[in-house]
């Protein structure tokens, strides 16, 4: 069983920053990719940023230059540094990993329960 626990969300004023963290635990053999998604009220869930085990990154156009994703492979942890936050960044942020639980097994996507980020004055 794989568990993801996110932290770091909260209320911040426009222009402010937050650092989100997500740690994966359980029967994990390997993680090929880790990422952050978000879902605002009335909208579909969208990819915010992703990072592979080799360090390659991908960002949504709306966050490029403001958000930075990083990971600590030894700790199975992924971070999302969010800077210059805007009201439109308000959403529940979900952590996701593509992992397998045994050698030679298939990769599956696992999700955290989410952490709320509210950007408001």
């Amino acid at each position: 069983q794989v568990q993801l626990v996110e932290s770091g969300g909260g209320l911040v004023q426009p222009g402010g920053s937050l650092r989100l963290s997500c740690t994966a635990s359980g029967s994990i053999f390997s993680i090929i990719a880790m990422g952050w998604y978000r879902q605002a009220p009335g909208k579909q869930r969208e990819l915010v940023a992703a990072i592979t085990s080799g360090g390659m990154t991908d960002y949504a156009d709306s966050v490029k230059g403001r958000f930075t994703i990083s990971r600590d492979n030894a700790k199975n942890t992924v971070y999302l540094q969010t800077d210059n936050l805007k009201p439109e960044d308000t959403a529940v942020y979900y952590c996701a990993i593509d992992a397998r639980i045994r050698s030679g097994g298939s990769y599956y996507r696992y999700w955290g329960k989410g952490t709320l980020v509210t950007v408001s004055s």
Side-chain angles (χ1 to χ4, degrees):
Q1 195 172 10
V2 177
Q3 299 87 35
L4 302 181
V5 178
E6 301 115 327
S7 63
L11 173 64
V12 63
Q13 292 185 341
S17 300
L18 287 174
R19 188 187 193 215
L20 308 184
S21 300
C22 171
T23 298
S25 62
S27 303
I28 299 171
F29 179 78
S30 65
I31 300 173
I32 194 171
M34 307 179 83
W36 290 92
Y37 292 72
R38 68 185 180 187
Q39 187 167 19
K43 295 187 177 181
Q44 291 187 330
R45 189 173 298 188
E46 62 174 358
L47 174 69
V48 176
I51 185 168
T52 68
S53 57
M56 294 182 63
T57 59
D58 187 30
Y59 294 92
D61 288 343
S62 59
V63 306
K64 284 181 180 176
R66 301 188 297 121
F67 291 9
T68 304
I69 190 170
S70 60
R71 64 187 282 177
D72 185 332
N73 291 333
K75 296 181 179 179
N76 285 344
T77 298
V78 61
Y79 305 96
L80 186 68
Q81 178 67 38
T82 66
D83 297 318
N84 191 21
L85 283 161
K86 304 176 180 180
E88 51 264 41
D89 295 317
T90 295
V92 178
Y93 284 69
Y94 297 90
C95 171
I97 66 170
D98 293 336
R100 56 183 179 178
I101 60 173
R102 63 180 184 277
S103 177
S106 298
Y107 282 93
Y108 292 95
R109 179 156 296 177
Y110 299 89
W111 294 90
K113 294 183 178 180
T115 184
L116 177 62
V117 171
T118 303
V119 185
S120 175
S121 55

